[in-house]
């Protein structure tokens, strides 16, 4: 008996996608404390709401929240879009509901608009990424634009998002605790801060190839550029 193997292509063929199409990922991912620790080791942060459990609970949260950057990474990671050439930008990334270690996440992607590049050889997809926890709460949404190495039929249609009454619940909750922040917890900054101030974060750390591959595995990324060093 001869057993012949085959390679399964689990990627979605976006050549047939049109604005308004919804792509729901079947994968579920539970974020453990060790995953949170690994992210914290790779990306420095002094945000107390993500580093201090007592601080977060004083603000009425059940635990310290996952950093914005980690939640955005999980929201935008597309396991099934291997044909993408590059991501060209993000926009309107909103942390709707706090995410915690121990939560299990699923995600979906809605095609908002499609257009071809001026040379006619590539296409640009505008995609709305959405991350939900195990209770069905949308924790984050983010607009993402990706370039694919194939043209698609032009479309002038733009998907119109449905208004969400819980659009900024997390922000509104924190604003509602402003008196606690101001009167009880206070600022721990060693330098004076004022409204409208733009602060540059000068600390930069290089990410090693091993860290990059581990982060890709954490988010179940399968694009060859994450493990093929020749690409």
């Amino acid at each position: 008996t001869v057993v012949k193997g085959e390679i399964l292509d689990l990627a979605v063929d976006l050549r047939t996608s049109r604005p308004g199409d919804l792509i729901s990922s079947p994968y579920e991912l539970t974020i453990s404390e060790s995953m949170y620790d690994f992210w914290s080791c790779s990306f420095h942060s002094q945000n107390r709401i993500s580093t201090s459990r007592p601080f977060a609970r004083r603000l009425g949260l059940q635990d310290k929240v996952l950093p914005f950057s980690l939640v955005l990474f999980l929201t935008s990671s597309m396991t099934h879009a291997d044909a993408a050439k590059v991501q060209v930008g993000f926009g309107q990334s909103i942390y709707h509901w706090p995410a915690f270690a121990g939560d299990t996440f699923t995600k979906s992607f809605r095609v908002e608009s499609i257009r071809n590049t001026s040379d006619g050889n590539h296409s640009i997809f505008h995609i709305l990424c959405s991350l939900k926890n195990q209770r069905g709460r949308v924790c984050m949404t983010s607009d993402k634009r990706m370039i694919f190495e194939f043209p698609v039929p032009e479309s002038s249609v733009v998907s119109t998002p449905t208004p969400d009454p819980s659009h900024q619940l997390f922000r509104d909750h924190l604003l509602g605790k402003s008196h606690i922040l101001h009167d009880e917890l206070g600022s721990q900054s060693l330098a004076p801060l004022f409204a409208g101030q733009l602060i540059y974060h000068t600390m930069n750390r290089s990410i090693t190839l091993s860290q990059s591959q581990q982060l890709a595995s954490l988010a179940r990324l399968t694009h060859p550029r994450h493990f093929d060093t020749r690409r």
Side-chain angles (χ1 to χ4, degrees):
T1 302
V2 178
V3 178
K4 185 179 180 179
E6 62 177 312
I7 298 176
L8 295 178
D9 185 1
L10 301 178
V12 175
D13 187 0
L14 291 176
R15 290 178 177 87
T16 60
S17 294
R18 308 307 296 159
D21 285 354
L22 182 66
I23 305 168
S24 296
S25 174
Y27 303 107
E28 295 182 351
L29 182 63
T30 300
I31 300 300
S32 64
E33 286 281 357
S34 60
M35 290 181 181
Y36 168 81
D37 291 340
F38 178 69
W39 185 270
S40 299
C41 290
S42 302
F43 303 100
H44 177 78
S45 172
Q46 292 177 321
N47 192 344
R48 284 191 290 171
I49 200 171
S50 295
T51 61
S52 170
R53 181 171 288 119
F55 179 85
R57 287 180 174 172
R58 191 67 190 87
L59 294 179
L61 301 168
Q62 69 183 54
D63 203 344
K64 58 185 180 181
V65 303
L66 298 182
F68 180 95
S69 56
L70 172 55
V71 182
L72 177 60
F73 175 65
L74 295 172
T75 303
S76 61
S77 297
M78 299 177 69
T79 302
H80 51 282
D82 290 351
K85 181 179 181 180
V86 68
Q87 300 181 46
V88 295
F90 292 88
Q92 297 296 320
S93 300
I94 301 174
Y95 205 161
H96 300 280
W97 190 260
F100 306 97
D103 281 348
T104 299
F105 299 105
T106 55
K107 60 187 77 176
S108 61
F109 307 93
R110 188 177 67 212
V111 180
E112 300 287 277
S113 63
I114 302 171
R115 69 176 179 87
N116 288 324
T117 55
S118 57
D119 61 11
N121 297 323
H122 300 78
S123 55
I124 299 177
F125 279 68
H126 174 197
I127 296 173
L128 177 66
C129 310
S130 179
L131 185 76
K132 290 185 178 181
N133 65 15
Q134 69 275 16
R135 300 178 182 87
R137 283 281 191 179
V138 176
C139 292
M140 180 174 283
T141 56
S142 179
D143 290 333
K144 180 167 78 167
R145 287 169 173 80
M146 307 172 71
I147 291 182
F148 292 84
E149 295 183 293
F150 52 75
V152 294
E154 287 281 5
S155 174
S156 59
V157 176
V158 177
S159 176
T160 303
T162 303
D164 184 0
S166 62
H167 188 60
Q168 289 279 19
L169 280 178
F170 190 21
R171 182 200 64 182
D172 294 343
H173 173 82
L174 295 179
L175 290 176
K177 301 294 183 180
S178 59
H179 62 286
I180 296 178
L181 286 168
H182 183 270
D183 299 332
E184 299 180 29
L185 298 176
S187 172
Q188 303 299 313
S189 173
L190 299 178
L193 303 176
F194 55 86
Q197 185 177 9
L198 178 63
I199 301 174
Y200 289 101
H201 295 270
T202 57
M203 182 174 181
N204 297 307
R205 291 186 56 190
S206 60
I207 301 298
T208 66
L209 175 60
S210 295
Q211 282 179 303
S212 177
Q213 291 178 332
Q214 288 171 324
L215 289 168
S217 296
L218 184 150
R220 305 301 185 262
L221 292 172
T222 57
H223 196 291
R225 72 162 56 90
H226 295 294
F227 58 85
D228 186 352
T229 57
R230 294 179 179 269
R231 293 188 63 149

